[in-house]
Amino acid sequence: PFFLTLHTNNPHHPYNSGEIEGLPHSDDPKVRHRLLVRHTMEMFTNFYRELKASGLAESTLVIAYGDHGEAFGEHEGNYIHSRELYWENLHVPVLILHPQRLGLPARIHQLGTLVDVPVTILDIMGLPLGDRDGMSLLFDAPDRLVFSSTDWGPGQVALRDHQYSYILSRTGRELLFDRVADPMERTNLVTTLPEVAERFRARLVGGH
């Protein structure tokens, strides 16, 4: 048995794509970021191809994920990843590669966080979960709430469920988005759906 962790910061700011042989430079940071993400995925694909060729893929669980999203001005003043808690800051790819897939669908729609990754690994491997934060992504919890926070910039906390995103800033700014109807989180519904905003606010402020 073996456990291997690989980490790359290739797509990290300032997205120096021109420093990697074979990748062009661009004056557009979003283009450079995409080039570096594609390059990283090509390396990952080659790694998994070699794993399959060696026969190890038949008895190995591989999980690939990002540690944070990346913003390029989708919302005013929102760049890189640590200032705001919009969807582009938080959404990350997670790939679960396993020979039997354990009955998992091609796409898991369960709302999750990176805290869930260690628990999911233990669950897939059939090991005791113990007293850990997070939830295995093999479970289905449609009513789950996910908490996020940032101490940088204005300081924010957020709650998300399967439909809504609610963001509360230290300055008192409140944002509520319906991700089903508005996946890019453009329309603030705090005044339109005050009862929904109050429900989230009560959970964050009251701790219920």
Side-chain angles (χ1 to χ4, degrees):
F2 65 91
F3 182 89
L4 174 66
T5 300
L6 298 175
H7 176 267
T8 175
N9 64 349
N10 278 344
H12 209 281
H13 182 268
Y15 327 119
N16 293 323
S17 61
E19 294 184 3
I20 296 181
E21 184 178 355
L23 294 186
H25 174 75
S26 170
D27 292 331
D28 186 337
K30 193 169 187 176
V31 171
R32 298 200 305 271
H33 181 259
R34 286 179 176 173
L35 288 168
L36 290 166
V37 169
R38 184 180 302 169
H39 173 69
T40 300
M41 290 307 300
E42 288 176 353
M43 290 194 299
F44 174 73
T45 301
N46 291 336
F47 166 78
Y48 196 66
R49 185 180 292 118
E50 291 295 324
L51 200 67
K52 291 178 70 174
S54 72
L56 285 173
E58 293 303 313
S59 58
T60 303
L61 166 68
V62 178
I63 297 184
Y65 58 90
D67 60 341
H68 52 70
E70 201 75 352
F72 293 91
E74 291 85 354
H75 293 84
E76 185 178 359
N78 187 28
Y79 292 92
I80 309 181
H81 53 261
S82 57
R83 178 179 175 82
E84 303 282 353
L85 292 175
Y86 292 111
W87 191 244
E88 61 263 26
N89 298 87
L90 299 178
H91 185 62
V92 299
V94 178
L95 302 177
I96 301 176
L97 305 177
H98 188 275
Q100 281 81 43
R101 284 287 294 173
L102 301 173
L104 293 173
R107 184 180 181 88
I108 298 174
H109 293 281
Q110 173 62 49
L111 189 65
T113 77
L114 293 179
V115 176
D116 300 327
V117 171
V119 185
T120 303
I121 292 173
L122 292 173
D123 193 22
I124 293 175
M125 300 300 293
L127 299 172
L129 304 185
D131 185 16
R132 295 174 179 268
D133 292 332
M135 181 195 81
S136 171
L137 295 175
L138 273 62
F139 293 142
D140 185 21
D143 297 326
R144 189 185 193 196
L145 283 174
V146 169
F147 173 81
S148 306
S149 66
T150 176
D151 291 327
W152 197 87
Q156 300 177 4
V157 290
L159 280 177
R160 282 173 168 77
D161 63 13
H162 69 284
Q163 181 173 3
Y164 295 104
S165 298
Y166 175 79
I167 304 170
L168 177 63
S169 296
R170 190 177 298 158
T171 60
R173 182 187 69 167
E174 290 183 281
L175 301 172
L176 177 68
F177 303 104
D178 182 345
R179 294 195 316 280
V180 176
D182 177 26
M184 299 304 293
E185 298 181 336
R186 299 294 188 188
T187 304
N188 185 6
L189 301 175
V190 164
T191 57
T192 307
L193 298 174
E195 70 284 356
V196 177
E198 172 57 30
R199 186 172 75 241
F200 282 105
R201 187 187 310 114
R203 290 296 298 269
L204 280 174
V205 177
H208 300 297

